[in-house]
Amino acid sequence: MCISYAHFIIFNIIQGTSNSGTQCHYDVANNIIVQLYGTKRIRCYPPSMGVYNLHVFPDNHPKARKSQVDFDYNVSKHNNDDTINRFPHYYQNIPQPALDVTLQPGDALQIPAFWFHHVENGYSNSNMNEGSPSVSLNSFSLSKPMMIAQQIFQKASNPMGRRINKDQVPAILRALGITLLQKLDIDEITTGKEMDFIQTYLLKARYTSLNMIGDSNTTSNHTLYILTDEQNQAKNTCIDKIIPDFHLLIKGEVDGDNQDDGTGIALLVVLHLFELWAVELVGTKSVAKAWDQALLSDDGTF
């Protein structure tokens, strides 16, 4: 059991009754689970699936870092189109886990930071009702991706300063978002489609399913503010400071520590940063509306 960058380790005893579980989520720390009693089924998904398929709750939500999708909901049994329509990224192409394992007493599993995992306690392959309570020891340790992400948030905080007029916010968010995604040069995001990515995987994936965007007609007549030369310089300075950190995440190799799916981790951090910028500019209650306005072009269309 080797834990790199472990400046501290937290141990928790986790107890769960049979048929209980933990909603699919990710931790920013490295996690090792040692099963002590009973069984525990764990399904693991790479970070990129969290971005593209799992409809993660917004950062300012009490369930931040968790998937909005109920993995135990039987769509075929309930035939509920509303549920399918709320979570199209999941139900249109239900992702298969990278790992699906049932831990027995004495088994251990290491889950890297930013990897999603869904937990079912007292799982029995034959009949869930025959399962027993589950007890496990969890250890959490600092991860290098988490430390890099913290550096990114610190460097990129309030890139334009604190005196911003309300009518400037959409243009500032748009400029920051497009520039960051362009300079990351990620294959999955086609040049010229940066705002499509933000609309699909920030707004639609995280906010539309919670009805948090509101009436789009309120922004239909919005005219985009044009950034000043000084603001453009501040934007570029901000992005240039954090690009090297993002490249460390994307490469997935930091001081000999190999992280699978570095691009997925980087994109999760990107979405965190998009929300952070909006919170700093408009507050926690207006994040979705601010980005909705940022998606509008000068003539009020996408």
Side-chain angles (χ1 to χ4, degrees):
M1 183 177 70
C2 178
I3 304 176
S4 301
Y5 317 110
H7 295 284
F8 68 85
I9 301 177
I10 297 176
F11 293 97
N12 288 330
I13 295 291
I14 306 296
Q15 303 180 62
T17 59
S18 178
N19 296 340
S20 66
T22 303
Q23 193 169 353
C24 187
H25 68 286
Y26 72 92
D27 300 301
V28 296
N30 292 318
N31 183 6
I32 295 178
I33 302 173
V34 180
Q35 191 66 17
L36 303 177
Y37 180 85
T39 61
K40 187 187 299 288
R41 181 190 182 189
I42 302 176
R43 284 175 276 178
C44 296
Y45 302 84
S48 57
M49 281 192 179
V51 174
Y52 296 117
N53 300 102
L54 298 185
H55 292 272
V56 182
F57 280 100
D59 282 350
N60 61 343
H61 194 279
K63 294 185 177 180
R65 295 186 291 103
K66 292 183 177 180
S67 171
Q68 299 177 39
V69 179
D70 181 358
F71 279 35
D72 299 319
Y73 183 82
N74 191 325
V75 176
S76 60
K77 179 179 179 180
H78 295 280
N79 193 25
N80 190 333
D81 289 338
D82 289 340
T83 298
I84 298 175
N85 292 335
R86 282 185 64 202
F87 307 117
H89 302 163
Y90 180 83
Y91 285 111
Q92 288 177 6
N93 184 22
I94 296 179
Q96 297 301 308
L99 177 68
D100 187 345
V101 63
T102 300
L103 299 183
Q104 305 288 339
D107 291 340
L109 177 65
Q110 181 172 0
I111 303 175
F114 290 91
W115 272 67
F116 286 78
H117 45 288
H118 181 73
V119 178
E120 300 171 53
N121 294 310
Y123 183 81
S124 169
N125 289 326
S126 59
N127 189 333
M128 282 286 292
N129 294 325
E130 295 178 356
S132 63
S134 171
V135 181
S136 62
L137 174 67
N138 287 34
S139 69
F140 297 93
S141 63
L142 281 176
S143 69
K144 193 64 176 180
M146 176 184 70
M147 296 164 65
I148 293 174
Q150 289 176 337
Q151 293 175 5
I152 290 172
F153 299 146
Q154 291 171 359
K155 293 177 182 178
S157 179
N158 291 305
M160 301 293 173
R162 298 186 179 276
R163 294 186 178 182
I164 300 297
N165 293 330
K166 185 178 179 180
D167 62 348
Q168 300 176 5
V169 170
I172 290 172
L173 288 177
R174 183 185 183 92
L176 287 167
I178 289 177
T179 304
L180 175 57
L181 292 176
Q182 287 178 342
K183 292 197 174 185
L184 285 178
D185 193 25
I186 293 175
D187 292 340
E188 290 84 351
I189 304 175
T190 307
T191 301
K193 298 294 185 179
E194 295 84 8
M195 296 310 286
D196 289 345
F197 174 86
I198 297 173
Q199 180 187 19
T200 302
Y201 299 111
L202 178 65
L203 287 182
K204 288 186 176 180
R206 298 189 174 204
Y207 289 92
T208 300
S209 54
L210 296 172
N211 296 318
M212 293 180 66
I213 295 180
D215 185 359
S216 60
N217 290 330
T218 60
T219 62
S220 60
N221 296 321
H222 178 73
T223 301
L224 197 63
Y225 169 84
I226 304 301
L227 268 64
T228 64
D229 291 342
E230 182 180 358
Q231 289 173 328
N232 270 311
Q233 183 178 356
K235 172 206 68 176
N236 291 329
T237 298
C238 170
I239 302 302
D240 289 341
K241 285 192 299 184
I242 60 178
I243 286 297
D245 295 317
F246 272 111
H247 284 166
L248 286 176
L249 292 175
I250 291 171
K251 287 195 304 180
E253 298 178 358
V254 187
D255 296 339
D257 182 32
N258 292 325
Q259 273 283 350
D260 291 333
D261 197 13
T263 297
I265 295 176
L267 288 177
L268 281 175
V269 175
V270 164
L271 294 172
H272 277 298
L273 185 56
F274 287 166
E275 293 191 81
L276 172 64
W277 279 333
V279 167
E280 291 177 338
L281 290 169
V282 298
T284 58
K285 295 182 179 180
S286 301
V287 171
K289 182 177 180 181
W291 272 108
D292 188 38
Q293 292 175 336
L295 290 168
L296 298 174
S297 64
D298 297 84
D299 60 358
T301 60
F302 284 108

